Amino acid sequence: MPLWLDLLRTPMAAPETPRLRTMRRTFQALCLLCALGVAFISPLTAWLGRIAPIAVGSLLLASAVHTALYMVRKNRADNAYLDAATGDRS
């Protein structure tokens, strides 16, 4: 069987659980907020003062931490799903 056909028949990712869906949507919201915070740093600084850069920095840090947690949990779910699908019990 050609490799491409074998890859098409192989499940590539686990079905998304409600918890992973929530984490994915939170990740997307954090990315959007980071983009808006960086794009509008000048108006935010005028409105919030010295707190604005700290808030945007905190948002960037929260995004990085949440991304790392999401990737670990998503990879763990994918690996467990693929192990169950292939019958690998090691």
Side-chain angles (χ1 to χ4, degrees):
M1 176 180 313
L3 177 63
W4 65 271
L5 185 57
D6 189 39
L7 288 175
L8 281 176
R9 294 172 22 113
T10 304
M12 300 305 282
E16 192 173 53
T17 63
R19 183 174 179 168
L20 283 175
R21 183 178 307 118
T22 301
M23 288 188 76
R24 178 178 51 85
R25 289 183 178 157
T26 302
F27 166 75
Q28 292 170 335
L30 284 170
C31 289
L32 181 62
L33 288 173
C34 284
L36 290 173
V38 170
F40 295 108
I41 191 68
S42 295
L44 285 173
T45 303
W47 185 49
L48 297 173
R50 301 176 86 187
I51 301 253
I54 295 169
V56 172
S58 299
L59 190 59
L60 290 169
L61 181 62
S63 297
V65 169
H66 184 77
T67 300
L69 287 173
Y70 174 72
M71 294 305 294
V72 166
R73 289 181 180 159
K74 177 69 173 148
N75 285 333
R76 189 179 304 146
D78 288 345
N79 288 336
Y81 179 73
L82 288 174
D83 288 346
T86 59
D88 185 22
R89 300 289 180 210
S90 56

